[in-house]
Amino acid sequence: MRIVALAGGIGGARFLQGLRAAVPEAELTVVVNTGDDITMYGLRICPDLDTVMYTLGNGIDTDRGWGRKEETFVVKDELAAYDVPTTWFGLGDRDLATHLVRRTMLDAGFPLSQVTAALCARWQPEATLLPMSDDRVETHVMVELDGTRKAIHFQEWWVKHRASLPALAIVAVGAEAATPAPGVLDAVDAADVVLLPPSNPVVSIGTILQVKGIREALRGKTVVGLSPIVGGSPVRGMADACLDAIDVETSAEAVGRHYGSELLDGWLVDTVDAGATVPGVEVRAVPLLMTDVQATAAMARAALELAGV
Ligand code: FO1
């Protein structure tokens, strides 16, 4: 069975662990959001690609959900001693090696997709990880700060401000000119099913769908999504702050309707949201809390069953 999943960071990565446990024999391709990527200290940091790679490669810090396990932050502390302006971003010492390799390969002219393949040679995620695009796309958030409106990088909004500043607009800068990375459209075309894990529907799944050709490629495919919202609030992260920015109610039903029947064939909601309806989409209620790999594998099986594969 060939499966394509569109994924963001922590929630998406956690779901993919369960999916791989549910169908270890399946050929899995993950199209990963790169809108969260940020250049810092000359390094290109790709949070969602690294979170998926470390999670499937068993290198993730499971408590944080991002970055490496057994991580240290000596360099971060040294940077703070120099009073650098971005002490709010936690760059781990082990994680730095990933960014140094990525920077070196990008500077040598390798596209992000090839850099990702090279990094995965070490981590063996047992899935093909593809950036949504090799072109630069960066999510910026328009906020009111110190009395003026300004656009800040998604990471600054998400990490420094914990998404506490109302997002007046969320813009994936560069998405309109970006093209899918090599292999993305072929993988979608060959897929028996496309899954939308419980990632952030705005800044993760939503950003991937803005890359020219990807939404169109999904038409005619069987697409099943899993709600990232349970009982009116995000399972993890601050998707509600993003949904507010696009005037979508924070509910499983509203997110399903936001994706719509153009995109979705099936929509899994948690049992507490049973009764949710999405016109033109088959909705099923199953437990959606990813408490461990077994629970997540059950969700994945339910999604594949709903997809009829
Ligand atoms: N998230 C945080 O909440 N605080 C951090 O300091 C932080 C650092 C960080 C470094 C590398 C990386 O790959 C991810 C990191 N994240 C951090 C997570 C990241 O901001 C988010 O997971 C994604 O961008 C949203 O999906």
Side-chain angles (χ1 to χ4, degrees):
M1 179 195 320
R2 288 183 292 243
I3 302 173
V4 166
L6 307 189
I10 300 170
R14 195 152 286 171
F15 172 76
L16 292 168
Q17 262 190 318
L19 174 63
R20 202 183 54 202
V23 280
E25 74 291 343
E27 188 184 314
L28 175 57
T29 300
V30 189
V31 178
V32 184
N33 169 47
T34 57
D36 294 6
D37 297 3
I38 185 169
T39 296
M40 200 177 274
Y41 313 112
L43 303 173
R44 190 68 181 160
I45 295 157
C46 302
D48 287 354
L49 278 166
D50 292 348
T51 296
V52 173
M53 181 175 73
Y54 289 155
T55 300
L56 294 181
N58 297 315
I60 198 80
D61 179 288
T62 49
D63 296 333
R64 273 185 271 122
W66 54 267
R68 290 285 307 281
K69 63 185 174 190
E70 291 135 37
E71 183 62 281
T72 53
F73 293 91
V74 173
V75 171
K76 177 177 185 290
D77 294 343
E78 286 299 310
L79 286 166
Y82 284 114
D83 202 19
V84 298
T86 49
T87 51
W88 47 269
F89 196 72
L91 266 185
D93 300 322
R94 293 177 187 276
D95 194 32
L96 268 178
T98 299
H99 309 312
L100 291 170
V101 169
R102 183 180 289 121
R103 176 78 276 158
T104 305
M105 290 188 71
L106 289 172
D107 286 351
F110 291 98
L112 182 58
S113 47
Q114 289 183 30
V115 174
T116 303
L119 295 170
C120 285
R122 169 187 174 185
W123 290 101
Q124 295 296 311
E126 289 168 34
T128 302
L129 267 51
L130 298 175
M132 65 188 195
S133 174
D134 279 337
D135 303 317
R136 185 169 172 156
V137 178
E138 271 192 19
T139 301
H140 286 232
V141 182
M142 182 68 76
V143 296
E144 195 99 25
L145 206 53
D146 311 325
T148 59
R149 282 189 170 210
K150 59 188 289 198
I152 59 177
H153 191 286
F154 170 78
Q155 291 300 337
E156 186 173 350
W157 181 65
W158 191 259
V159 177
K160 181 178 179 184
H161 297 290
R162 306 306 307 160
S164 61
L165 302 171
L168 308 177
I170 297 179
V171 181
V173 177
E176 68 292 337
T179 56
V184 167
L185 297 184
D186 292 344
V188 170
D189 184 48
D192 298 301
V193 60
V194 177
L195 299 179
L196 305 187
S199 286
N200 189 308
V202 182
V203 295
S204 294
I205 305 288
T207 304
I208 298 170
L209 293 174
Q210 289 184 55
V211 174
K212 196 185 346 309
I214 292 183
R215 185 186 285 274
E216 293 73 16
L218 294 178
R219 289 207 182 99
K221 302 306 296 188
T222 300
V223 180
V224 171
L226 296 95
S227 176
I229 307 297
V230 171
S233 54
V235 177
R236 245 199 105 96
M238 302 162 277
D240 45 343
C242 303
L243 289 165
D244 292 349
I246 61 167
D247 292 327
V248 172
E249 181 201 318
T250 298
S251 73
E253 180 168 274
V255 174
R257 291 180 178 215
H258 169 63
Y259 283 146
S261 57
E262 277 270 292
L263 178 65
L264 289 178
D265 297 287
W267 183 237
L268 281 186
V269 301
D270 188 86
T271 46
V272 299
D273 298 308
T277 62
V278 178
V281 175
E282 188 177 351
V283 179
R284 266 190 208 159
V286 297
L288 283 190
L289 294 182
M290 300 188 279
T291 46
D292 55 29
V293 176
Q294 286 66 37
T296 313
M299 289 163 53
R301 276 191 289 274
L304 296 173
E305 194 183 311
L306 180 49
V309 291

